[in-house]
């Protein structure tokens, strides 16, 4: 499940998700940036640190195309590893990337050069730090053969899993990929555009992981807009109190209870 800050991470974990996606699109949007490498890698790493602190489940970080060449990619990956992320996903585009659903200009990285980025990340991070290689060939209008050739090269370069991305409204091309790829490495998909596809279809295709990539930030936008519009038009908040999260809910998500216990333990009993 997508997380874009500590609060969305805590919420996703508490409803039961066993892993989080630190989405570049969602984090950028929350910061008011476009998903075009406008946010710096240090800004992303700082947000991820808060996500990792808030959730006790693995966090896979959207590392975009690695913020440059092999050197930038390994630097970002190392910092994410140090801050407690479970892994990084790198997409085979050039820097700066553009969100895969925006426009038609998505030039792909050279395969060998991208393999260098993957190898550099593998060589720099701990053995259990997961490296997902994301293939943008279908997004860029190349066919299945190009996607498969890239998957093969990325697996050889050390990728632990392959994310195959598509912006079609039906899952045909990712299912064709999964069938031909035959699980040589686990397959990850992001069904933002083919959202009508039932999960059973992904299970049947032996797809390992589905990422719901931007749904908390979109829910936040819809919810905030509705409440803002209501308060603005009604000049009051009496009718919405029970439609929004309570303050206790908010305090609970951020762990005020633990602070109260700690105060009991560490503060002197006498007034200071
Ligand atoms: C993201 O969540 O930032 C992703 C997925 O990379 S997508 O927006 O589909 O490119
Ligand atoms: Mg992204």
């Amino acid at each position: 499940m997508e997380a874009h800050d500590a609060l969305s991470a805590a919420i996703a974990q508490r409803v039961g998700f066993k892993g989080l996606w630190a989405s570049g699109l969602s984090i950028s949007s929350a910061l008011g940036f476009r998903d075009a490498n406008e946010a710096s890698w240090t800004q992303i790493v700082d947000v991820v640190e808060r996500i990792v602190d808030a959730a006790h489940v693995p966090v896979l970080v959207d590392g975009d195309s690695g913020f440059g060449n092999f050197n930038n990619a390994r630097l970002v990956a190392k910092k994410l590893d140090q801050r407690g992320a479970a892994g990084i996903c790198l997409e085979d585009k050039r820097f700066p990337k553009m969100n895969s659903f925006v426009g038609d200009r998505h030039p792909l990285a050279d395969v060998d050069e991208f393999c260098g980025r993957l190898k550099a990340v593998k060589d720099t991070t701990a053995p259990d730090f997961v490296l997902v290689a994301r293939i943008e060939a279908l997004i860029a209008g190349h066919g299945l053969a190009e996607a498969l050739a890239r998957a093969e090269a990325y697996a050889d370069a050390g990728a632990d899993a392959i994310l195959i991305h598509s912006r079609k409204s039906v899952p045909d091309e990712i299912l064709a990929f999964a069938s031909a790829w035959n699980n040589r490495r686990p397959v990850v998909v992001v069904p933002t555009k083919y959202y009508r596809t039932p999960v059973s279809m992904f299970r049947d295709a032996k797809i390992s992981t589905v990422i719901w990539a931007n749904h908390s930030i979109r829910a936040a936008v819809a919810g905030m807009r509705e409440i803002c519009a209501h308060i603005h038009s009604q000049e009051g908040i009496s009718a919405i109190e029970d439609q929004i999260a309570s303050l206790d809910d908010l305090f609970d998500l951020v762990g005020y209870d633990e602070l109260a216990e700690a105060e009991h333990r560490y503060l002197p009993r006498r007034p200071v």
Side-chain angles (χ1 to χ4, degrees), residues 47-219:
V47 173
V48 168
E49 182 177 60
R50 300 304 303 135
I51 290 174
V52 168
D53 281 349
H56 309 288
V57 293
V59 178
L60 176 64
V61 180
D62 180 358
D64 287 338
S65 55
F67 296 87
N69 68 1
F70 78 92
N71 190 40
N72 306 90
R74 69 179 178 174
L75 181 59
V76 177
K78 187 174 164 191
K79 288 294 161 199
L80 290 171
D81 193 5
Q82 287 171 350
R83 306 266 184 116
I88 190 171
C89 176
L90 288 185
E91 64 195 60
D92 56 357
K93 295 223 277 256
R94 301 187 204 148
F95 181 89
K97 55 68 66 75
M98 172 53 77
N99 182 271
S100 303
F101 302 135
V102 177
D104 291 320
R105 243 174 355 99
H106 297 282
L108 297 184
D110 172 81
V111 173
D112 292 335
E113 186 274 328
F114 186 70
C115 285
R117 279 184 241 171
L118 297 175
K119 283 181 193 154
V121 167
K122 263 292 157 199
D123 288 345
T124 311
T125 51
D128 62 349
F129 188 79
V130 171
L131 174 59
V132 179
R134 164 168 159 180
I135 295 171
E136 290 282 291
L138 304 177
I139 297 285
H142 303 279
L144 182 60
E146 176 72 20
L148 286 165
R150 283 176 175 262
E152 197 73 56
Y154 303 162
D156 287 347
D160 299 301
I162 299 292
L163 191 160
I164 183 72
H165 206 13
S166 165
R167 58 185 202 177
K168 294 237 156 57
S169 59
V170 289
D172 303 14
E173 58 183 13
I174 66 105
L175 293 177
F177 176 91
S179 163
W181 177 244
N182 202 19
N183 255 324
R184 268 169 278 174
R185 288 285 188 287
V187 174
V188 182
V189 296
V190 185
T192 301
K193 292 288 180 181
Y194 45 100
Y195 57 85
R196 289 195 178 84
T197 311
V199 166
S200 58
M201 212 175 259
F202 301 132
R203 285 208 176 93
D204 292 347
K206 305 267 185 303
I207 284 163
S208 154
T209 304
V210 174
I211 296 177
W212 316 113
N214 44 54
H215 298 80
S216 276
I217 191 93
R218 288 165 60 193

